[in-house]
Amino acid sequence: MKIIIHGGFFSESNTNYEVKVAKQQALTDIVKQGYEYLRTHTALETVTYTTSLLEDCDLFNAGTGSQIQSDGKIRLSASLMDGVTSKFSGVINIEDVKNPILIAQKLMGYDDRVLSGNGAQVFARENGFDHYNPETPQRRQEYEQKLHDSIRLGTVGCVALDAQGNLAAATSTGGKGFEIPGRVSDSATVAGNYANGFAGISCTGVGEDIVSGAIAAKIVTRVTDGMKLQLAVEKTLTEVQPFDGFVGIIGLTANGEVYHADTHPYMVWACYDEGVEVFS
Ligand code: ASP
């Protein structure tokens, strides 16, 4: 059993050491809770649960504490992929919900598994997901000050390998902040989140770069075709160099390889590997 999570990029690290420490502590606590959960649950259940904990932590840009878009609204995107069934589900730009990953989980049981905008919200309400405003005073203050000059990415993600050897991946985001309404993040696409019977990957970074690099699906395909995870990640990252792609990756394979990488400092992540904690 293994679990790896990320909390996106930590671009405040040079200026706000306290926030960095708080994020690392939160990741450490959550990865332990995720691992405990994994002892008695499947990989799919565990990535969903663990991602919901990350969404509830307002330090990260997912669920509560998400970035505000250019029109003053928060829109959330999240996706889930089951390595056993190869089913992918997700919501894109949904408003006024607490845990988009739980709506993605609900969609797993439907033929129409990726919903966007108002349709996603109607589905959520019909399925008992109440109105919730994910905005925090901190994000509003940043928005009011128009702090969009530096990239502040704090998307969350989780990949788990369960006791049966099955993999799943989940990713959730509030987007990149100050985006044009309607912009689609990578997080609810197969570029940002992908898993099969061989590997699972969750990405963070600039969504447009992640989509251009087809990152998660490409890495999983390379591992499926026999490449080691580390090599598959590094090769895929070299392919985003020509356009200075801004990408962070966490991954696990069915035979127990664990790897993480980023193109720019610093993606924050944590891993519980057979009960041993590793984090940065
Ligand atoms: N990938 C996300 C997006 O572009 C942002 C992030 O990873 O923080 O919407």
Side-chain angles (χ1 to χ4, degrees):
M1 292 192 309
K2 292 174 201 279
I3 183 168
I4 185 165
I5 63 176
H6 71 74
F9 276 89
F10 181 72
S11 54
E12 303 105 313
S13 55
N14 292 333
T15 54
N16 194 339
Y17 182 72
E18 275 171 27
V19 177
K20 182 172 185 181
V21 170
K23 280 192 175 182
Q24 287 188 338
Q25 187 57 52
L27 286 174
T28 305
D29 293 346
I30 290 170
V31 83
K32 283 181 189 165
Q33 289 179 65
Y35 191 81
E36 276 309 307
Y37 196 84
L38 184 58
R39 290 182 194 280
T40 52
H41 294 84
T42 66
L44 185 66
E45 290 164 343
T46 301
V47 297
T48 307
Y49 169 73
T50 308
T51 301
S52 77
L53 297 180
L54 290 161
E55 288 176 340
D56 289 344
C57 179
D58 67 7
L59 293 169
F60 303 112
N61 174 27
T64 303
S66 286
Q67 300 282 354
I68 299 174
Q69 301 194 340
S70 60
D71 63 348
K73 292 188 178 152
I74 291 176
R75 295 180 182 85
L76 306 173
S77 298
S79 72
L80 191 57
M81 187 149 186
D82 183 1
V84 179
T85 60
S86 289
K87 281 187 178 174
F88 180 98
S89 65
V91 288
I92 295 172
N93 289 328
I94 188 169
E95 292 179 42
D96 298 321
V97 295
K98 186 164 187 274
N99 292 110
I101 199 67
L102 298 184
I103 302 162
Q105 180 186 40
K106 189 80 195 168
L107 281 163
M108 267 289 169
Y110 287 75
D111 288 340
D112 300 343
R113 287 192 289 276
V114 181
L115 299 181
S116 70
N118 188 49
Q121 198 190 54
V122 169
F123 174 86
R125 297 289 180 259
E126 283 172 0
N127 284 279
F129 295 93
D130 293 337
H131 182 282
Y132 178 83
N133 180 2
E135 185 181 308
T136 59
Q138 171 73 21
R139 295 300 188 203
R140 178 53 59 179
Q141 194 188 7
E142 289 169 3
Y143 177 78
E144 300 297 348
Q145 292 174 356
K146 295 278 183 268
L147 292 177
H148 54 297
D149 45 329
S150 66
I151 300 171
R152 290 181 310 285
L153 306 162
T155 291
V156 302
C158 178
V159 185
L161 173 67
D162 65 25
Q164 278 66 49
N166 296 322
L167 290 157
T171 306
S172 182
T173 190
K176 58 182 182 181
F178 292 92
E179 57 268 70
I180 300 170
R183 179 245 181 199
V184 175
S185 161
D186 64 290
S187 301
T189 73
V190 298
N193 190 74
Y194 202 79
N196 67 6
F198 294 86
I201 297 288
S202 170
C203 298
T204 182
V206 174
E208 287 71 7
D209 297 349
I210 294 166
V211 168
S212 295
I215 302 288
K218 201 190 273 183
I219 293 169
V220 170
T221 303
R222 285 181 161 147
V223 172
T224 304
D225 290 346
M227 201 178 270
K228 290 281 178 206
L229 177 63
Q230 177 170 350
L231 190 59
V233 169
E234 297 301 340
K235 183 169 173 56
T236 304
L237 286 182
T238 61
E239 293 165 352
V240 302
Q241 278 171 4
F243 52 91
D244 191 26
F246 195 121
V247 180
I249 296 160
I250 57 169
L252 290 179
T253 68
N255 56 24
E257 294 164 68
V258 186
Y259 197 60
H260 70 95
D262 50 29
T263 56
H264 294 71
Y266 306 92
M267 177 182 68
V268 288
W269 60 279
C271 175
Y272 232 70
D273 186 344
E274 311 294 357
V276 180
E277 172 193 328
V278 194
F279 79 98
S280 90

